[in-house]
Amino acid sequence: MEVSVVELLSAAERTEVVIVGAGPTGLTAAVRLAELGVPHVVLDSALAPTRTSNAALVHAATIELLAALGLGEELVRAGRQVHRIGMADRGRPLVRVGLTGLPSRYPFALGVPQSTTEQLLLHRLAELGGSVRRGHRVTSVHGEGTRHVVTGTVEPGGAAAGFAVSARYVIGADGAHSTVRSASGVEFPGETYPAQFVLADVALSAAGPDDEATINLSPRGVTVIGRLPGPNHRVIATVDPAAALPEAPDRRFLDELLAQRGIAARATAEPVWSSRFRVHHRVADRFRVDGVFLAGDAAHVHSPAAGQGMNTGIADAYDIATRLGAVLTGHAGEPVLDGYERQRRAAALEVLAFTDRLTKLAMLENPLARLGRRVAAGTVLRFPWPLQRRITLLGQRPGPQSAATGPPRDRRTVLAVVSGT
Ligand SMILES: Cc1cc2nc3c(=O)[nH]c(=O)nc-3n(C[C@H](O)[C@H](O)[C@H](O)COP(=O)(O)OP(=O)(O)OC[C@H]3O[C@@H](n4cnc5c(N)ncnc54)[C@H](O)[C@@H]3O)c2cc1C
């Protein structure tokens, strides 16, 4: 028998914060709130966590944030350290830039599948007494006085039933097609790039040093190769907008692509995962509507250039959870919440502008412009600091998550951290 909305609302469970979405953004927010002792509920429509490696690069500033949440050592153990970025032109090395001088306790990037990062966050959440309610699809969010009621359907084994949770605050971390965003009437303006991208996790021979990620330029497109933990490499390549691409590129396709671009590496097995996709860049016009906050892909999506998507979402989550924690534990007043949209939307716009420039550089078609790109790449990489800092600390701008000082770990330090932000 179907439950009416009125019945649902009158029986709504009460909590302080509802987090919609248990991807890396929602899980980071949940761990931070659990650490601060804030009652919360995490809802996710999926019956199981991500199994694929999607965001496979974790930057130094993000490792610092995750370390502050108690999972730094495990994360570093689970990943493959990237100490250098190399740039090559049709396989011929142009220049190499070391990351070891980064101003971080973790002076490297980490190749680690998103599924592993999510598992570690889930494990930490469980240690702190938290959990995710799976099969809970949120369909609406609406204000009820000073609270917000999140409603939806539960799908255990296909039999749909309703649920309602009432909270003071809602974090919409439900990805690019966010229901929380549309329920809040927030626009998500932006565009889709013309180029296509190919992605594969595949074992390669002759792919260069294990601790180096390589950006290969060629008239056919840009190919980035980096080593993942285990036997596989991650390959991402831009491909002509008009090219006919298989849904899941196989070993033969990848070998041809590498050979056409002058890259010596070859697949030694079929890819364990491969895909083709087009890339969008969009930023929500608001990150907050009353007590509803958007974070991660729900608030911004951009090109995978420089691997910023998940990293920026984790920084959003740490920021908003710290602010909400400060308010809900009585360490700060509501005005501290105003800084979230100001700071995190500015950070998202900065990430989008940077990844947009990189993506357009990668997609250049004119031979003269491509020559200019090779010269510029050599110059930039001879004076690497600005670029290093940009790639590894981008999107982690000042705020409660400041990587320079290291984030706080307990309630006592929350007020000091959020004051003035
Ligand atoms: C192929 C690929 C490669 C990438 N590479 C990189 C990279 O190298 N580096 C990087 O930083 N980023 C990368 N990204 C981007 C990165 O994967 C995303 O930015 C990241 O997953 C965003 O995390 P999120 O938690 O905000 O959203 P998501 O991971 O999308 O999680 C959203 C969650 O919300 C749930 N949900 C959705 N709707 C509802 C609903 N109505 N009710 C309840 N739950 C709901 C979903 O089930 C999901 O679990 C890549 C992405 C892809 C696809």
Side-chain angles (χ1 to χ4, degrees), residues 21 24-25 44-45 54-55 114 138 174 179 199 297 307-311:
T25 304
D44 198 294
S45 52
N54 302 7
Q114 182 169 325
V138 170
D174 49 343
T179 300
L199 173 150
D297 277 16
Q308 299 292 337
M310 181 183 77
N311 288 272

Side-chain angles (χ1 to χ4, degrees), residues 200-223:
D201 288 355
V202 60
L204 295 177
S205 65
D210 281 348
D211 65 344
E212 182 173 312
T214 317
I215 304 165
N216 287 280
L217 308 177
S218 98
R220 301 257 182 176
V222 174
T223 314

Side-chain angles (χ1 to χ4, degrees), residues 367-389:
L368 264 181
R370 281 202 302 260
L371 176 68
R373 176 178 68 188
R374 279 206 300 280
V375 173
T379 311
V380 166
L381 292 176
R382 265 182 212 105
F383 303 98
W385 274 101
L387 185 68
Q388 274 177 6
R389 289 189 70 104

Side-chain angles (χ1 to χ4, degrees), residues 46-343:
L47 294 175
T50 312
R51 289 203 186 81
T52 50
S53 65
N54 302 7
L57 198 62
V58 180
H59 290 300
T62 310
I63 308 174
E64 297 228 13
L65 284 187
L66 295 174
L69 293 176
L71 41 101
E73 297 313 313
E74 275 174 289
L75 186 72
V76 171
R77 261 201 307 278
R80 173 85 64 173
Q81 293 185 21
V82 179
H83 292 132
R84 274 181 307 279
I85 298 174
M87 187 167 277
D89 181 9
R90 281 163 285 186
R92 287 189 303 278
L94 282 175
V95 72
R96 284 196 166 95
V97 176
L99 298 177
T100 46
L102 282 173
S104 168
R105 270 173 286 159
Y106 302 95
F108 46 82
L110 207 56
V112 58
Q114 182 169 325
S115 49
T116 305
T117 307
E118 289 188 19
Q119 280 305 333
L120 292 175
L121 282 162
L122 276 166
H123 184 244
R124 182 70 186 128
L125 184 61
E127 275 179 356
L128 293 166
S131 62
V132 175
R133 294 187 194 170
R134 297 215 166 266
H136 281 60
R137 179 174 300 283
V138 170
T139 52
S140 80
V141 181
H142 51 263
E144 289 275 316
T146 58
R147 300 181 69 84
H148 298 273
V149 181
V150 175
T151 57
T153 53
V154 195
E155 296 158 355
F163 69 84
V165 188
S166 159
R168 279 180 65 185
Y169 301 105
V170 176
I171 301 177
D174 49 343
H177 304 288
S178 172
T179 300
V180 176
R181 189 183 62 233
S182 27
S184 307
V186 175
E187 297 293 324
F188 201 35
E191 288 169 15
T192 304
Y193 291 108
Q196 306 186 79
F197 288 73
V198 162
L199 173 150
D201 288 355
V202 60
L204 295 177
S205 65
D210 281 348
D211 65 344
E212 182 173 312
T214 317
I215 304 165
N216 287 280
L217 308 177
S218 98
R220 301 257 182 176
V222 174
T223 314
V224 181
I225 300 179
R227 185 80 200 256
L228 293 171
N232 294 315
H233 287 78
R234 160 63 63 89
V235 179
I236 299 193
T238 59
V239 184
D240 189 87
L245 293 180
E247 216 166 285
D250 61 6
R251 177 180 180 174
R252 205 169 130 199
F253 179 94
L254 292 168
D255 277 349
E256 244 170 63
L257 179 141
L258 294 167
Q260 284 168 352
R261 295 167 184 222
I263 300 168
R266 291 292 176 272
T268 58
E270 284 297 334
V272 292
W273 179 53
S274 68
S275 178
R276 60 158 191 216
F277 57 97
R278 288 189 190 267
V279 171
H280 315 272
H281 54 125
R282 298 177 187 281
V283 175
D285 58 5
R286 301 178 66 183
F287 278 26
R288 175 185 185 182
V289 178
D290 301 326
V292 179
F293 298 84
L294 299 175
D297 277 16
H300 45 77
V301 290
H302 21 79
S303 144
Q308 299 292 337
M310 181 183 77
N311 288 272
T312 312
I314 286 175
D316 292 345
Y318 195 96
D319 187 305
I320 188 55
T322 302
R323 289 176 197 275
L324 291 176
V327 172
L328 290 165
T329 55
H331 287 90
E334 285 251 337
V336 84
L337 300 177
D338 297 342
Y340 175 71
E341 177 170 83
R342 196 169 53 240
Q343 295 203 352

